[in-house]
């Protein structure tokens, strides 16, 4: 249970760091870039991946899309936190679980029981209620959490494909994906510095390092939690998704004073119900 709690804390802390970074006039592109430098280092030190067989055995058709999507969606995550806040962004990220569920049903022809259908029927209005905010100044800002939801959903599908690929250890695949993401972000940082004229401030490295540490910590503790709850993975699944929504909401509301309407609160409640239904559907 400790590993699960630590994973939740790390996940929420990433959002908090992006929220705090707004006050320091930093470059989000450089933060995401340095994030992958630190995540890659910690991944190598923690897992000691064997890279000798990567060239011949790696499923590059999966690695490359994930490596491109991860930094792209991370930038949208940061933008979403800036535009609509931690509460709505965390909720959108966690509700992205419906994307792989729909893919399993429509693409991979998996059985779809009544509980999964009920979860979807509850989940979609939950998302609409969470993102609803009657304000003229927020016009079109819903696109940021919407892209976060769609992006993380696609990433989840691709990571599941990697998990099914047993010729290479999952941790080795993770290292390679981080490496591709870093290469993408090096190009983005070069553009940010040369074309956009954003200086390479030390504060970008500090925030990037912190995001990288907690981003990797989220993954590390999540894997350890699954190992500790090997007999009951649904506990990890439910705890992680509900924990991030609840803790993220509490931090957003009480620490950063984010304003939510009654419709938003109703949406958050429905989101928790939808996740519970998904977990139960996986058990029976």
């Amino acid at each position: 249970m400790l590993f699960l709690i630590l994973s939740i804390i790390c996940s929420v802390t990433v959002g908090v760091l992006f929220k705090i970074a707004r006050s320091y006039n930093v470059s989000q592109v450089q933060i995401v870039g340095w994030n992958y430098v630190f995540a890659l280092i910690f991944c190598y030190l923690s897992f000691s991946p064997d890279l000798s067989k990567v060239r011949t055995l790696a499923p590059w058709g999966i690695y490359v899309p994930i490596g491109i999507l991860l930094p792209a969606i991370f930038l949208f995550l940061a933008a979403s936190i800036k535009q609509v806040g931690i509460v709505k962004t965390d909720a959108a990220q966690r509700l992205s679980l419906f994307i792989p569920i729909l893919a399993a049903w429509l693409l991979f022809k998996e059985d779809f029981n009544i509980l999964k259908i009920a979860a979807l029927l509850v989940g979609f209005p939950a998302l609409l209620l969470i993102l609803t905010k009657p304000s003229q100044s927020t016009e079109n800002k819903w696109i940021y959490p919407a892209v976060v939801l769609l992006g993380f959903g696609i990433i989840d599908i691709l990571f599941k494909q990697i998990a099914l690929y047993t010729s290479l250890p999952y941790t080795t695949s993770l290292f390679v994906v981080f490496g591709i993401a870093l290469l993408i972000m090096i190009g983005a940082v070069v553009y940010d510095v040369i074309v956009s004229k954003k200086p390479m401030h030390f504060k970008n490295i500090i925030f990037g390092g912190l995001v990288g540490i907690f981003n990797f910590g989220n993954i590390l503790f999540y894997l350890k939690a699954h190992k500790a709850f090997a007999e009951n993975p649904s506990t990890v699944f439910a705890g992680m998704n509900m924990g991030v929504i609840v803790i993220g909401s509490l931090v957003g509301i009480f620490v950063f004073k984010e304003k939510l309407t009654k419709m938003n609160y109703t949406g958050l409640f429905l989101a928790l119900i939808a996740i519970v239904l998904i977990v139960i559907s996986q058990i029976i």
Side-chain angles (χ1 to χ4, degrees):
M1 187 60 70
L2 176 62
F3 291 136
L4 182 58
I5 294 172
L6 289 173
S7 182
I8 293 169
I9 291 173
C10 286
S11 180
V12 174
T13 302
V14 169
V16 171
L17 287 169
F18 277 122
K19 187 82 171 180
I20 294 173
R22 290 178 56 193
S23 305
Y24 291 86
N25 191 29
V26 295
S27 166
Q28 291 182 348
V29 171
Q30 292 180 36
I31 289 176
V32 173
W34 283 107
N35 148 72
Y36 284 114
V37 172
F38 283 84
L40 201 64
I41 292 171
F42 280 102
C43 186
Y44 186 82
L45 294 176
S46 300
F47 300 133
S48 300
D50 181 9
L51 303 177
S52 60
K53 298 180 181 179
V54 168
R55 180 176 295 181
T56 55
L57 296 178
W60 295 107
I62 302 176
Y63 284 172
V64 173
I66 299 180
I68 295 172
L69 274 174
L70 273 178
I73 299 305
F74 223 145
L75 289 171
F76 269 98
L77 179 76
S80 180
I81 290 170
K82 178 181 179 180
Q83 298 294 336
V84 302
I86 291 176
V87 178
K88 296 182 178 183
T89 301
D90 275 345
Q93 181 182 350
R94 291 302 150 183
L95 284 173
S96 67
L97 64 93
F98 288 112
I99 304 295
I101 289 172
L102 282 172
W105 180 34
L106 299 174
L107 300 180
F108 305 115
K109 308 303 180 183
E110 291 185 12
D111 292 334
F112 222 65
N113 58 35
I114 189 66
L115 286 174
K116 287 184 180 180
I117 295 174
L120 289 173
L121 292 176
V122 173
F124 285 118
L127 183 64
L128 293 175
L129 290 171
I130 288 169
L131 298 182
T132 297
K133 186 174 182 180
S135 171
Q136 296 298 321
S137 62
T138 60
E139 186 179 1
N140 296 330
K141 291 183 178 180
W142 60 269
I143 193 68
Y144 294 99
V147 171
V148 167
L149 181 145
L150 181 62
F152 275 106
I154 295 172
I155 288 169
D156 192 34
I157 293 172
L158 294 173
F159 266 124
K160 280 181 168 58
Q161 295 304 302
I162 287 181
L164 296 174
Y165 186 81
T166 56
S167 297
L168 287 173
Y170 187 81
T171 49
T172 299
S173 295
L174 187 65
F175 181 84
V176 175
V177 168
F178 278 163
I180 295 172
L182 177 59
L183 289 175
I184 297 296
M185 287 311 303
I186 287 174
V189 169
V190 169
Y191 181 89
D192 193 52
V193 173
I194 295 177
V195 179
S196 300
K197 307 296 183 183
K198 298 286 183 65
M200 289 281 288
H201 282 307
F202 186 67
K203 58 188 175 183
N204 293 325
I205 301 176
I206 295 296
F207 275 107
L210 290 172
V211 170
I213 290 169
F214 285 102
N215 185 27
F216 176 73
N218 173 33
I219 295 169
L220 176 65
F221 292 126
Y222 188 67
L223 292 175
K224 286 182 176 291
H226 268 296
K227 185 175 181 180
F229 287 96
E231 299 296 321
N232 192 11
S234 59
T235 300
V236 180
F237 182 80
M240 186 66 192
N241 285 282
M242 290 189 291
V244 169
I245 289 178
V246 172
I247 302 301
S249 297
L250 292 175
V251 170
I253 293 167
F254 292 107
V255 177
F256 295 106
K257 310 301 181 183
E258 294 180 4
K259 303 296 183 182
L260 297 181
T261 65
K262 291 181 180 179
M263 293 177 69
N264 298 150
Y265 283 113
T266 302
L268 290 171
F269 179 70
L270 289 177
L272 294 176
I273 292 176
I275 290 171
V276 169
L277 289 172
I278 288 296
V279 172
I280 296 174
S281 73
Q282 305 284 24
I283 297 173
I284 63 172

